[in-house]
Amino acid sequence: QSPLKLIIYLFSTCVLVPIGEEIFYRRLLYVSLRHKLAFIPSLLISAVLFGAVHPSGPVPALATGLFLGWIYEKKENLPVIIIVHGLINFSAVLFLIFISIK
């Protein structure tokens, strides 16, 4: 792939996607659930839905959703969650690049 394609892919995967997903899954869904339910049910529901939209890796995405939801409960700081999500995605991309090098 070209360097430009890689930069665009990294930007979308590590910046744009985490912003959109965290606004929806943590700020809107989780907070709405949390107003009605206790921490654990809210966390589980939001994490399961987060994992379900990641068909290429629902189990790792579920674990990531649990982790991000737990951090959000403790910090209530959306920018922090977006950054952590971006770093997780960045490390996954680096891993995929590493295993694809022959």
Side-chain angles (χ1 to χ4, degrees):
Q1 290 191 19
S2 74
L4 180 59
K5 284 183 180 180
L6 178 60
I7 290 168
I8 291 169
Y9 180 74
L10 283 172
F11 181 74
S12 64
T13 303
C14 302
V15 178
L16 297 179
V17 168
I19 290 170
E21 287 186 346
E22 293 310 318
I23 287 171
F24 179 76
Y25 288 99
R26 251 51 74 192
R27 186 70 184 133
L28 298 176
L29 179 62
Y30 177 78
V31 170
S32 296
L33 290 167
R34 195 66 175 93
H35 282 114
K36 298 172 185 158
L37 303 170
F39 167 61
I40 297 295
S42 300
L43 178 65
L44 289 174
I45 293 168
S46 63
V48 165
L49 292 173
F50 182 79
V53 301
H54 293 83
S56 61
V59 174
L62 171 65
T64 300
L66 291 169
F67 178 65
L68 293 170
W70 176 76
I71 295 172
Y72 190 78
E73 174 73 18
K74 301 299 178 196
K75 300 293 180 187
E76 293 184 12
N77 189 327
L78 192 62
V80 167
I81 300 306
I82 291 168
I83 291 167
V84 171
H85 188 157
L87 291 171
I88 290 168
N89 286 3
F90 183 70
S91 64
V93 169
L94 288 181
F95 177 74
L96 291 173
I97 290 170
F98 179 75
I99 63 170
S100 70
I101 297 173
K102 296 178 183 179

